[in-house]
Amino acid sequence: DGLRSLAWSLGRRCLPADTGTYPGLELPERAAQPKLPGGGSPAFPSLHDAVLRFAARGEDGVPVCWKPQTLARRWVPAKTPAPPPRYLRRRVEVNRNSAEFKAVTGYFQATLHCTASVASLTRLEHSEVYRRYSPVGGETIMFHGCKTPKNEHGIIEDGFKVSHCVSGGANYGTWFAYNASYSNSGYVLTEGAVRHIFVCVASYCDVKRDDATMRVVGQDCAYPMWL
């Protein structure tokens, strides 16, 4: 069991592995984590926060883990974060020796509650989808699984679509688990001995449901950061 590279699972070529070094990059502290009455929270706060720092939105409007030197910036950083570039759309295999890989997979394995080896980790950089995402209210690293290659491909290409929601009723929301173990209990794409799972950021912008196990959010309130 484990995460699998998108390049392998869909037969597409990834960019060369990310070196995991970001000259001059400072990882911001995480946003405050609000908690709704009766709502859930990460089981391993320190491990969770280590991942969230990589997913945090920087001054240039994109997550800090998206390699800054490759974005061809066309604006001057201002007090108000600039919108992300419209043209960025790629999949980057994260270097196994990088701090990002260790943080993301460490949190995944801690919340999986069973032994698993991680085949690979792919960062999904899609600026058009990320542009729509709202981090209002604070963000949480959460997990999402889908059972078919078609659904997985749809999420990669165009993000989460509430209009495709089945559970909870039409247009109810997209479901995310606080722990990878929940997604792994029958909700992930399985190809032989390998399982796929999205590691996402989910906000409190439009919460339909929040309990100790999961959170359901409205349209554009989550982004698939890694697979």
Side-chain angles (χ1 to χ4, degrees):
D1 294 350
L3 300 179
R4 187 176 189 176
S5 168
L6 179 64
W8 185 18
S9 62
L10 296 184
R12 295 186 176 183
R13 183 180 179 184
C14 267
L15 292 179
D18 174 14
T19 62
T21 59
Y22 308 92
L25 175 63
E26 294 184 4
L27 297 178
E29 294 300 322
R30 70 182 178 94
Q33 286 291 300
K35 184 175 180 180
L36 301 180
S41 60
F44 303 92
S46 61
L47 296 179
H48 168 274
D49 294 355
V51 181
L52 190 56
R53 291 179 66 206
F54 283 98
R57 181 173 293 189
E59 287 186 337
D60 52 10
V62 299
V64 296
C65 61
W66 294 14
K67 294 185 68 174
Q69 58 267 39
T70 65
L71 297 183
R73 286 177 169 74
R74 300 179 183 278
W75 58 79
V76 176
K79 292 183 178 179
T80 301
R86 290 185 178 277
Y87 54 85
L88 184 63
R89 184 174 182 175
R90 65 182 187 176
R91 305 165 180 85
V92 180
E93 185 175 349
V94 181
N95 190 306
R96 299 183 72 88
N97 296 319
S98 69
E100 178 184 358
F101 184 95
K102 293 175 183 177
V104 176
T105 60
Y107 185 56
F108 159 73
Q109 290 177 314
T111 65
L112 189 61
H113 303 153
C114 67
T115 302
S117 61
V118 177
S120 63
L121 178 70
T122 300
R123 187 190 317 124
L124 306 175
E125 302 182 3
H126 194 324
S127 57
E128 193 63 35
V129 174
Y130 189 77
R131 175 184 292 273
R132 302 195 305 258
Y133 164 62
S134 173
V136 170
E139 301 174 284
T140 306
I141 300 298
M142 305 191 78
F143 302 93
H144 181 87
C146 56
K147 298 180 180 180
T148 68
K150 179 180 178 180
N151 289 345
E152 180 180 278
H153 182 72
I155 292 171
I156 292 167
E157 292 298 315
D158 205 23
F160 297 106
K161 290 293 187 180
V162 170
S163 59
H164 297 171
C165 173
V166 176
S167 300
N171 297 306
Y172 179 57
T174 304
W175 299 64
F176 298 90
Y178 280 97
N179 295 311
S181 58
Y182 183 86
S183 298
N184 190 47
S185 64
Y187 303 100
V188 296
L189 174 60
T190 301
E191 295 185 335
V194 179
R195 302 184 183 187
H196 303 201
I197 189 170
F198 287 98
V199 183
C200 315
V201 282
S203 74
Y204 285 88
C205 181
D206 181 17
V207 178
K208 308 296 184 180
R209 169 178 173 173
D210 190 29
D211 57 37
T213 303
M214 65 191 66
R215 185 186 306 166
V216 183
V217 299
Q219 184 63 47
D220 300 326
C221 297
Y223 180 83
M225 192 67 68
W226 296 278
L227 176 65

